[in-house]
Amino acid sequence: MRFSTVAIVSAVATTAVLAAPTLFSKRDVNSDVAILNYALSLEYLEDAFYTWGLKKYDKDDFKKAGYDSVVRERFVHIGEHEAEHVRVLKSVITSLGGTPLPKCIFKFPLSDVHDFIAVARALENTGVSAYLGVAAGLGGDLLTAAASITTVEARHSSFLNEVLGRTGAPYAFDTPLTTREIVTIAANFVESCPFEVPVSPFKQLHAKLPIKRGEKVEVWYKGEDTTKQTWCQFLYSDKVRVSRRSECTLPKGVNGYVYVVVTDTATPISLKDDSHILAGPVLLFLGDH
């Protein structure tokens, strides 16, 4: 199982590309303040995204896109949740004697309401995976408080899946991701940060789901060495399925989101070791092409 090494509970994490330099040192990564700052980074990103999107797209824009006013009101509520998460996390970090991270400058190159909703779904689904990736990093009251935030993020994710006509909770378990895997996804939304980011993302992977199950998932990335044997690895629920790159077949069990990475090994990657990833992850949703 993908998360066999961590407790099956939700803890706080976030898009690590936004974290301070000390966050990634082995000495500090499990400290309460570091992980709370890790969480704060995600909340900054999500808060900025909803603030930007709701300012750009009003009720008429949602109506033209085929969504009634109730849907937009739900986005307002989600945005309020993220703003409150930012406020509380900053307060807790300060109370512990820490310093809240500064905000990065984000970019959201979207063209319409449909893009806005699709990216919201991707952010919320990825956020849950980020939280699970460091589930063992907190304990006691802080873990309980962090878990209460995570469950709300999961509700956001479920709502957005349903808005887009998909199953709200497609699996019995969600998929944890490592820090660097989250960095790779988050890098798409970061314009700049007021500090040097010490962790570099993997190469960006591009992918396209097939029309039918059992067919090949098209994947590609810049700088690929086509002379070497590589593998596609599919991460969904608590599972990791491996397929030769020449086949890259979507697993039959995929019924919602799926993360795809290209690796130099057929051994399933884990939370303990992501060093064999060559590109990705990229997040795909079944039914989107």
Side-chain angles (χ1 to χ4, degrees):
M1 296 173 70
R2 173 74 170 170
F3 47 65
S4 60
T5 60
V6 297
I8 308 177
V9 293
S10 297
V12 175
T14 187
T15 48
V17 71
L18 311 179
T22 57
L23 177 62
F24 300 98
S25 67
K26 293 181 179 178
R27 181 188 61 203
D28 295 331
V29 72
N30 290 323
S31 73
D32 291 340
V33 169
I35 294 177
L36 291 172
N37 260 323
Y38 195 29
L40 179 60
S41 299
L42 175 61
E43 302 304 338
Y44 278 150
L45 172 59
E46 293 179 328
D47 181 33
F49 174 75
Y50 290 111
T51 298
W52 173 88
L54 290 170
K55 182 177 181 180
K56 183 176 178 64
Y57 302 117
D58 60 19
K59 292 181 180 180
D60 289 338
D61 293 316
F62 270 74
K63 184 176 180 180
K64 291 176 183 178
Y67 300 99
D68 60 33
S69 59
V70 174
V71 172
R72 189 180 184 282
E73 289 173 5
R74 295 293 183 271
F75 276 93
V76 172
H77 294 161
I78 292 174
E80 292 171 346
H81 293 165
E82 306 303 355
E84 182 66 6
H85 292 168
V86 168
R87 186 191 68 79
V88 170
L89 285 169
K90 290 175 70 175
S91 176
V92 173
I93 291 168
T94 300
S95 72
L96 292 174
T99 301
L101 291 176
K103 294 181 181 179
C104 293
I105 298 175
F106 304 108
K107 58 182 180 181
F108 305 112
L110 311 178
S111 59
D112 54 32
V113 170
H114 298 294
D115 283 351
F116 173 64
I117 295 176
V119 171
R121 174 177 62 164
L123 285 177
E124 298 291 349
N125 277 271
T126 303
V128 172
S129 293
Y131 303 159
L132 290 174
V134 291
L138 289 173
D141 292 341
L142 284 178
L143 175 57
T144 301
S148 71
I149 293 178
T150 307
T151 57
V152 173
E153 298 291 342
R155 289 188 176 96
H156 295 169
S157 173
S158 179
F159 165 72
L160 292 165
N161 288 339
E162 295 279 359
V163 165
L164 289 170
R166 311 302 176 201
T167 302
Y171 309 116
F173 303 100
D174 274 313
T175 307
L177 293 179
T178 68
T179 295
R180 196 176 177 193
E181 289 169 342
I182 293 297
V183 166
T184 304
I185 295 174
N188 292 288
F189 304 105
V190 179
E191 183 74 36
S192 63
C193 288
F195 46 76
E196 182 180 356
V197 179
V199 172
S200 60
F202 294 110
K203 291 183 178 179
Q204 291 294 330
L205 182 65
H206 305 276
K208 183 179 181 181
L209 283 171
I211 300 297
K212 298 180 180 178
R213 290 180 182 272
E215 294 183 351
K216 183 178 180 179
V217 177
E218 298 292 337
V219 294
W220 65 97
Y221 61 95
K222 292 183 179 180
E224 179 179 2
D225 185 348
T226 58
T227 66
K228 295 182 178 181
Q229 175 66 60
T230 57
W231 287 262
C232 291
Q233 298 206 24
F234 298 89
L235 286 58
Y236 63 99
S237 185
D238 60 339
K239 299 173 176 58
V240 181
R241 296 290 183 260
V242 183
S243 175
R244 286 185 178 275
R245 176 68 184 285
S246 58
E247 300 170 354
C248 204
T249 305
L250 184 69
K252 293 181 179 180
V254 173
N255 188 38
Y257 72 82
V258 58
Y259 298 100
V260 186
V261 297
V262 172
T263 66
D264 61 6
T265 179
T267 301
I269 58 175
S270 69
L271 289 175
K272 288 185 175 181
D273 183 14
D274 60 9
S275 62
H276 292 282
I277 295 178
L278 300 175
V282 59
L283 174 59
L284 303 176
F285 293 89
L286 191 65
D288 296 345
H289 303 292

